[in-house]
Amino acid sequence: MTATKAQNHPASDSRGDALRAVDAFLAELPKKDDVERAIDEGRHIAAIVTPLGLPQELLAAVHLYPLYRNELIGRNKLQNSDLKNLSRFIIGMQQLHQFSLPAQWQPGEALAVQQSEALRKMLLAVVSDVRLVLVRIAEQLYRLRQAKEAPREQQQALALETREIYAALANRLGVWQLKWELEDLAFRYLDPDTYADIARTLAEKRGEREAFLDAFQMTLKSELERQGIHGNISGRPKHIYSIWRKMQRKDRGIESLYDIRAVRILVDDVSDCYAALGVVHNLWSYIPGEFD
């Protein structure tokens, strides 16, 4: 009888006790616009961090966090509910949210005392519970995605804060996909004309690039298997901000860049790494001056 019940409700069981409790809690809240917007934001932020493998208790707290941040639910309501064990996560997220760069701040300027203290707490959180910082990075990405119709000044302030703080944190923590999107959206708001020019150039040759990457990976996979090397191969076009940075560093136009496509090979150990590199060099000659 118990086994039959489990088979009949796989989706419900997969969400876990904490997420089911949050679903029930949210369903009891009043149907107001500000409440619905906060619930929607929680869902979007949770969707961003879910691929990072965070525990279900933390994901459940993410769903509630915008409501707490916007003062739509208070600490007492959390503490007096079945969700009191999530409150420590939610309060930690709120503390990280308090940082923002001063208006009109420019790179190289000293931060005001209040912002410096908030940034210090954020960096301390990296040591105490790095998972909360991942949620704060995801919140920043959500804000960027939502800023498409925001006033230009607001977009630029948000983009500068993202580039200087959150993209750098994402880079340090190794969450590359978040880093790339943060950098590209920030670049789009800070220099929309250059962003559009590069995006247009890439779009014109997208099919050609994708076909090249597919053929390249098939050739490489076949040769690695022939040599007995087990590797996971992935390919992607470089993101727009990294292309722009390389254009600036090398003082070249996009048509003169060799590496607007990238292929990564992940292997099990160092010896396989060098063996895979040997396979690559046997298949293709490296370009002098471009090999790191």
Side-chain angles (χ1 to χ4, degrees):
M1 181 69 70
T2 302
T4 302
K5 285 183 179 180
Q7 291 173 2
N8 287 341
H9 304 283
S12 176
D13 288 345
S14 68
R15 287 183 60 76
D17 292 341
L19 286 167
R20 286 198 296 273
V22 166
D23 287 343
F25 180 87
L26 295 178
E28 295 176 356
L29 294 177
K31 306 300 181 184
K32 297 180 180 179
D33 288 346
D34 52 354
V35 172
E36 294 296 330
R37 283 194 296 269
I39 292 174
D40 187 61
E41 179 182 347
R43 291 193 185 112
H44 278 89
I45 297 174
I48 293 172
V49 296
T50 293
L52 304 180
L54 300 181
Q56 61 122 354
E57 291 84 0
L58 184 52
L59 289 176
V62 170
H63 284 272
L64 296 172
Y65 158 63
L67 290 159
Y68 182 84
R69 183 199 65 207
N70 295 352
E71 300 181 351
L72 297 170
I73 57 174
R75 185 179 301 194
N76 288 339
K77 188 172 181 65
L78 287 175
Q79 295 287 2
N80 294 326
S81 72
D82 294 335
L83 305 172
K84 58 184 177 182
N85 60 319
L86 304 181
S87 59
R88 60 188 179 92
F89 292 127
I90 297 170
I91 293 169
M93 295 173 200
Q94 169 66 6
Q95 291 173 340
L96 293 184
H97 175 77
Q98 294 171 4
F99 172 79
S100 62
L101 290 175
Q104 309 304 321
W105 180 87
Q106 294 298 319
E109 295 179 357
L111 288 176
V113 174
Q114 184 178 359
Q115 284 82 9
S116 296
E117 178 64 14
L119 180 57
R120 185 185 70 82
K121 288 181 180 178
M122 184 182 301
L123 297 177
L124 287 175
V126 173
V127 179
S128 63
D129 194 341
V130 69
R131 301 171 302 178
L132 297 181
V133 180
L134 293 176
V135 175
R136 181 63 189 91
I137 292 171
E139 181 188 7
Q140 190 76 2
L141 177 53
Y142 172 80
R143 293 175 66 198
L144 278 173
R145 289 176 177 177
Q146 297 298 307
K148 292 179 181 178
E149 305 301 326
R152 179 108 167 99
E153 296 77 11
Q154 182 179 330
Q155 288 180 341
Q156 292 198 323
L158 182 62
L160 184 61
E161 179 181 273
T162 298
R163 190 187 70 189
E164 296 296 316
I165 304 298
Y166 296 97
L169 277 174
N171 181 57
R172 286 295 184 93
L173 297 177
V175 280
W176 312 118
Q177 191 56 47
L178 299 189
K179 169 185 178 289
W180 296 330
E181 189 175 354
L182 287 167
E183 287 181 336
D184 272 8
L185 287 175
F187 182 43
R188 180 178 184 179
Y189 295 144
L190 290 170
D191 193 346
D193 292 339
T194 303
Y195 178 95
D197 287 343
I198 296 174
R200 184 166 50 249
T201 301
L202 293 176
E204 290 171 354
K205 299 185 177 181
R206 179 174 297 156
E208 175 186 326
R209 289 198 317 276
E210 291 175 350
F212 175 88
L213 283 171
D214 288 344
F216 187 98
Q217 291 178 83
M218 288 180 62
T219 301
L220 184 54
K221 182 175 185 292
S222 176
E223 187 61 21
L224 288 174
E225 290 176 349
R226 195 176 73 83
Q227 297 289 340
I229 302 170
H230 173 70
N232 182 12
I233 305 171
S234 59
R236 61 173 178 83
K238 282 204 171 182
H239 63 298
I240 292 175
Y241 181 67
S242 70
I243 290 173
W244 176 81
R245 288 189 63 187
K246 182 153 286 190
M247 290 167 60
Q248 298 300 301
R249 189 167 63 249
K250 293 180 175 288
D251 193 23
R252 297 179 184 174
I254 189 172
E255 68 283 349
S256 301
L257 296 182
Y258 295 108
D259 56 346
I260 61 173
R261 297 164 291 229
V263 171
R264 175 178 292 167
I265 310 171
L266 296 179
V267 293
D268 294 329
D269 51 48
V270 174
S271 61
D272 279 353
C273 180
Y274 283 103
L277 180 62
V279 168
V280 170
H281 283 174
N282 283 333
L283 289 171
W284 302 282
S285 299
Y286 71 86
I287 301 171
E290 297 292 330
F291 178 75
D292 296 328

